[in-house]
Amino acid sequence: MTDNLYQPTTLRIADSRDEAPDVRTFRLEFTDSGYRSEFFRRYRVGMFGLYGLPGAGESVFCVASPPTRTDHIECTFRKAGRVTSALQDREIGQTISFRGPYGNSFPVDSWKGRDLLFIAGGIALPPLRSVIWNILDRRADFGKVAIVYGARTVADLVYKQELAEWGGRIPTAYGGGTSSGYPSVGRLPTANGGGTSSGYPSVGRKDVDLTLTVDPGGETPDWKGKIAFVPTALKESAPSSENCTAVVCGPPIMIKLTMPVLRGLGFEPKDIYTTLENRMKCGVGKCGRCNAGGVYVCKDGPVFTLEQFQSLPQGDL
Ligand SMILES: Cc1cc2nc3c(=O)[nH]c(=O)nc-3n(C[C@H](O)[C@H](O)[C@H](O)COP(=O)(O)OP(=O)(O)OC[C@H]3O[C@@H](n4cnc5c(N)ncnc54)[C@H](O)[C@@H]3O)c2cc1C
Ligand code: FES
């Protein structure tokens, strides 16, 4: 099979790690080299796949790894119901079904030379992770990179190891400071001169400005980091909107409260991107499950600018 991406293929779980309570990342290897080639020919950051198990069904997750790594893909997902529970019961060495990549993507090439601001909440970091690694793999093409990421509690922050790499400081008692003035997580020891256990090269960088925050009431006693909702943390860090593109992923309430902050900072709706997570079934524009007015979120999305988002019937979102 090389050209029918509607037909599922089989992926082998090469690694599995827990990110947060009920949130797991699978590293997945293609068992069919033809499907793998076709996948990477088509895959761009922001696209999604349908991951499943015979008898249980399929679930939609973004592809959380960038197209610059072509030996595997990764997905990170929260146990929410029947399919995700069945998937989390799978172990290393076992297989799952997969079809994709589907949907549109972030226009990363059009962002060349611009500063980038990523804003994420909770489990919504995975769709941004693929973009962030894609940008870091092509670091010279872009200007400043800033990330504002928050979760309900410290335990709910996902990709703690990569946050440490991006933030470039030690997570000991979550102390230390960054150039943004916000405490951050840490620099990890690099194994073998640069590799890390996440499988990605250590960036340990000053060229990513990371702000981590947890919701008020969600901190633990040793958290010395920022305590604020994401929109508040963003407002306080007040990044410049000049020559900057913003990408926002998170729960609907976070997105709703973040957009006015970005507008207040001077970001134009055409320079703000987000992703929609309407319920889906076929994933390829056939069943009508995901519609927002005349727009198929599975085919025309899931990536939209705020300008496009505002033109959709809000009751369908
Ligand atoms: C484009 C896209 C990308 C996504 N990426 C990810 C990802 O990377 N990681 C991840 O964990 N999840 C992601 N999701 C959400 C994920 O698809 C659902 O959580 C999952 O399918 C639930 O499957 P289930 O059978 O286990 O749960 P179900 O039994 O179907 O549902 C369990 C609970 O989750 C709710 N739910 C199910 N689907 C959605 C949805 N689309 N939006 C909001 N609530 C929902 C249900 O209302 C119910 O309360 C994405 C969804 C879309 C559309
Ligand atoms: S999920 Fe079937 S049309 Fe979009």
Side-chain angles (χ1 to χ4, degrees):
M1 202 302 302
T2 55
D3 57 2
N4 182 4
L5 296 180
Y6 188 69
Q7 175 129 4
T9 188
T10 302
L11 302 180
R12 183 181 302 107
I13 302 169
D15 194 18
S16 165
R17 62 175 187 276
D18 292 329
E19 305 284 357
D22 285 336
V23 179
R24 187 163 296 170
T25 295
F26 281 162
R27 176 174 292 228
L28 299 159
E29 291 172 351
F30 288 86
T31 56
D32 179 334
S33 60
Y35 204 109
R36 176 179 161 281
S37 304
E38 186 60 14
F39 175 92
F40 282 107
R41 193 178 70 74
R42 299 186 187 206
Y43 172 48
R44 304 286 179 275
V45 286
M47 297 174 88
F48 63 88
L50 279 102
Y51 304 72
L53 281 174
E58 295 178 314
S59 264
V60 178
F61 311 138
C62 68
V63 179
S65 47
T68 32
R69 319 295 167 83
T70 56
D71 58 336
H72 67 275
I73 62 169
E74 288 181 309
C75 65
T76 299
F77 62 102
R78 188 196 298 279
K79 192 194 284 191
R82 202 163 64 97
V83 179
T84 46
S85 298
L87 284 169
Q88 287 212 357
D89 286 341
R90 300 299 273 178
E91 294 175 355
I92 293 173
Q94 294 185 310
T95 57
I96 66 170
S97 70
F98 175 83
R99 55 192 177 93
Y102 298 144
N104 70 349
S105 56
F106 291 102
V108 172
D109 285 334
S110 73
W111 300 344
K112 275 186 190 172
R114 292 177 67 80
D115 293 345
L116 300 171
L117 170 64
F118 297 99
I119 305 155
I123 179 68
L125 191 55
L128 291 194
R129 178 203 192 216
S130 58
V131 195
I132 292 168
W133 275 117
N134 198 210
I135 297 294
L136 296 180
D137 284 346
R138 307 167 46 186
R139 189 65 189 85
D141 286 346
F142 305 95
K144 288 187 229 157
V145 177
I147 303 168
V148 179
Y149 173 52
R152 273 190 313 116
T153 72
V154 175
D156 288 312
L157 293 164
V158 299
Y159 303 139
K160 292 182 182 68
Q161 167 140 2
E162 283 161 85
L163 293 172
E165 293 167 32
W166 294 340
R169 289 187 193 256
I170 296 288
T172 43
Y174 307 103
T178 66
S179 56
S180 67
Y182 294 127
S184 160
V185 288
R187 184 188 298 284
L188 297 174
T190 55
N192 310 322
T196 67
S197 59
S198 69
Y200 292 99
S202 171
V203 283
R205 33 214 326 156
K206 291 200 172 90
D207 54 356
V208 176
D209 191 357
L210 175 67
T211 297
L212 284 183
T213 184
V214 295
D215 290 354
E219 68 274 20
T220 49
D222 57 354
W223 172 255
K224 295 191 177 66
K226 193 160 186 58
I227 299 165
F229 294 108
V230 167
T232 311
L234 174 67
K235 197 171 184 176
E236 288 174 8
S237 67
S240 168
S241 57
E242 198 184 329
N243 193 37
C244 186
T245 295
V247 189
V248 190
C249 286
I253 183 67
M254 189 210 91
I255 293 180
K256 190 174 170 199
L257 296 175
T258 298
M259 293 304 184
V261 176
L262 287 171
R263 296 288 288 124
L265 290 166
F267 285 85
E268 295 295 332
K270 68 176 177 42
D271 293 326
I272 303 174
Y273 289 80
T274 190
T275 59
L276 293 182
E277 292 201 354
N278 283 23
R279 295 285 215 110
M280 294 180 184
K281 192 159 178 63
C282 70
V284 291
K286 301 280 185 218
C287 72
R289 179 76 188 268
C290 66
N291 286 40
V295 168
Y296 290 98
V297 174
C298 66
K299 241 175 79 176
D300 306 316
V303 175
F304 295 92
T305 61
L306 177 59
E307 195 172 37
Q308 294 166 324
F309 177 83
Q310 284 170 334
S311 69
L312 298 174
Q314 299 297 304
D316 291 347
L317 303 173

